[in-house]
Amino acid sequence: MLRINQLLLPVEHSKEELSGKVKKILRTDKEPEITVVRRSVDARKKPELYFNYVLNIKIDNQKEVYRRCDKKQVQICEERPYRFPVKDYHGRQRPVIIGSGPAGLFCAWMLAKAGFCPLVLERGKPVAERMQDVQKFWESGCLNTESNVQFGEGGAGTFSDGKLNTLVKDTYGRNREVLRLFVKAGAPEEILYDYKPHIGTDILCRVIENIRHAIEAAGGQIRFQALVADFKIKDGQIRGVILKGGEEIPADYVVLAPGHSARDTFFMLHQKQIHMEAKPFAVGMRVEHPQALINQAQYGRDRYPVLGNAPYKVTAKATDGRGVYSFCMCPGGYVVNASSEQGRLAVNGMSYSGRDGENANSAIIVSVSPKDYGSDGPLAGLEFQRRLEEKAYRLADGKLPVERYGDYRRSVLEEGPACEGKIPKGFSPCIKGEWAIAPVHEILPGELSKAFVEGMEHFGRIIPGFNDGNALVEGIESRTSSPVRIVRDESLQASVRGLYPCGEGAGYAGGIMSAAMDGIRVAEMLAEQIVIMENTGDKGETVYERK
């Protein structure tokens, strides 16, 4: 197979124009078979915009064609499809997986396809019922602490943008396999090659249901409203899990994929003396701008129907050395009340697949580390989060607090204009949930608020109008990633043997893709370990009767 890099075409091009450009590069009249590997937007000459392609090409007489090509743009490549290390398992061990976020679902899917018949325990509800609970909360403020934006089938990423980009280096093909499986479950094929792929909350909910059905069809089982309250441990080895209500489920292999908001689970692990440590993460605010302002900055025009609404990514360093950066940017999206505990408020961002809302929003977050938490211990970051969320809740009596950036800036720096004129004074928020004007600047500690403002002012020099006084600031964005890491060794096991921490909540991922990839990695390791142990005669204490 041949690989073509750096093929540029105007974004409005036709399939015939793409094929013609490929034949020109290959110096051939023969029709090639074209597979898009990567497609990104080149906006260096905006408002003239181009797609930059990486393509795989199959063509007759490849050697002769390649001989004539420019070797700087065309190379020979070889496809290496992903392979799970175990096939057709027929033993009697049944892994238990705690959590049905991306890590738990993809771990379960891989194990089920290999014959392990995993049991998934999810504290929340199936996604369709969960959507009803979330909508009720946004409309009435009535929070279900076990079925919300954080808890339930699909995990916290279900109510986001369904972003599938990751910075994780992937030499094993897990990234491509996750995307392939998403498409198999009903996601659009464009995610296989778009530089910044996304699914959208509306489509993602259907995809998650299809993944559940695929797991069940392959022999797995998913139980909802099954909160794991304790572990059964003997001689440093996991021997089972205990559900709220007292039911015991025997298991020698347990994957712990709880998500970053399972605070009660972290406290239980601490009580069981399972080795954990506090880790750095980031906190900040959601910031809203008119989507037309972002489109103009990124594409050179207010609207570009072929591309849809524009995303952005910005980074800076504050004078105290903290990183300040955008996170979970939602073009044409909504800011959502993402709370999961009574008396505490957290926000997130969400887009539907069309990304066709009036506003753009992103979290602008500031890095924090254990020295900021105010106490020692593995759960210090969790308590730090809770204090900030309690402040945010009190500001507007549980409604999502909103403040103009100009007011925020003046309160932090005691200087600066209210408005620089890029954003209309009447600009209003796109929010899921009740909201109210409140002094959002009071939530963060002073040094973090100052770093936030420094970042906003820097970003205003990159995207004109970003630091306009009429931009909207909403908080608090506190659930960017887990403040805890459940320590695991080279075999991916915790200090209790047979327990496999996994995904974002365990401290080993940061988004849908990296969590799903970690779920696959843990499934690989666990499957190999089970086979090795059975081949050496150690079959464990618990077995699963296949039916």
Side-chain angles (χ1 to χ4, degrees), residues 115-333:
F116 286 88
C117 302
L119 170 62
V120 180
L121 301 173
E122 168 55 53
R123 67 188 296 166
K125 296 181 182 181
V127 67
E129 296 178 39
R130 180 188 179 197
M131 289 170 67
Q132 294 176 3
D133 291 333
V134 169
Q135 192 62 40
K136 180 181 178 181
F137 170 57
W138 287 340
E139 292 173 356
S140 69
C142 182
L143 176 66
N144 183 333
T145 57
E146 293 299 330
S147 180
N148 47 60
V149 172
Q150 307 296 343
F151 296 146
E153 185 179 24
T158 304
F159 294 93
S160 63
D161 185 44
K163 281 176 281 293
L164 302 180
N165 47 299
T166 178
L167 298 178
V168 175
K169 292 183 178 179
D170 178 38
T171 58
Y172 299 95
R174 298 183 189 117
N175 187 315
R176 186 75 178 176
E177 182 67 3
V178 170
L179 294 174
R180 188 188 71 81
L181 290 174
F182 267 127
V183 171
K184 185 177 180 181
E189 289 191 9
E190 288 82 1
I191 68 171
L192 293 172
Y193 53 79
D194 274 342
Y195 179 63
K196 293 185 177 181
H198 80 104
I199 297 178
T201 290
D202 47 342
I203 295 177
L204 186 57
C205 290
R206 299 198 301 270
V207 168
I208 288 166
E209 285 186 324
N210 291 337
I211 292 175
R212 183 215 311 161
H213 297 325
I215 292 169
E216 292 170 337
Q221 180 186 0
I222 300 180
R223 290 181 55 181
F224 295 102
Q225 296 178 278
L227 173 62
V228 175
D230 202 356
F231 290 142
K232 186 176 181 181
I233 300 171
K234 180 180 178 182
D235 299 328
Q237 169 74 40
I238 196 80
R239 293 304 181 194
V241 300
I242 302 172
L243 302 184
K244 183 180 180 180
E247 180 185 353
E248 292 190 18
I249 300 174
D252 293 325
Y253 300 91
V254 175
V255 176
L256 181 58
H260 59 40
S261 295
R263 292 167 172 171
D264 49 358
T265 300
F266 297 140
F267 279 108
M268 181 267 286
L269 296 172
H270 189 47
Q271 291 173 352
K272 304 296 286 190
Q273 298 184 328
I274 292 171
H275 188 197
M276 297 186 293
E277 59 188 20
K279 63 177 276 291
F281 65 112
V283 296
M285 303 294 169
R286 279 279 150 182
V287 178
E288 287 195 84
H289 299 91
Q291 182 63 55
L293 181 144
I294 302 302
N295 291 346
Q296 184 67 41
Q298 301 296 84
Y299 294 157
R301 57 185 80 180
D302 291 350
R303 294 180 68 253
Y304 209 124
V306 175
L307 296 176
N309 284 323
Y312 63 79
K313 181 179 180 180
V314 286
T315 63
K317 182 172 284 190
T319 53
D320 66 357
R322 295 179 189 273
V324 187
Y325 51 97
S326 58
F327 171 80
C328 187
M329 192 272 151
C330 297

Side-chain angles (χ1 to χ4, degrees), residues 343-345 386-401 436-439 442-443 475:
R344 300 185 177 99
L345 185 142
R386 278 182 160 174
R387 291 194 298 272
L388 297 177
E389 292 172 13
E390 287 165 6
K391 281 185 179 181
Y393 186 91
R394 290 195 298 267
L395 279 184
D397 295 324
K399 296 179 181 179
L400 198 154
I437 298 297
E442 294 180 3
I443 300 175

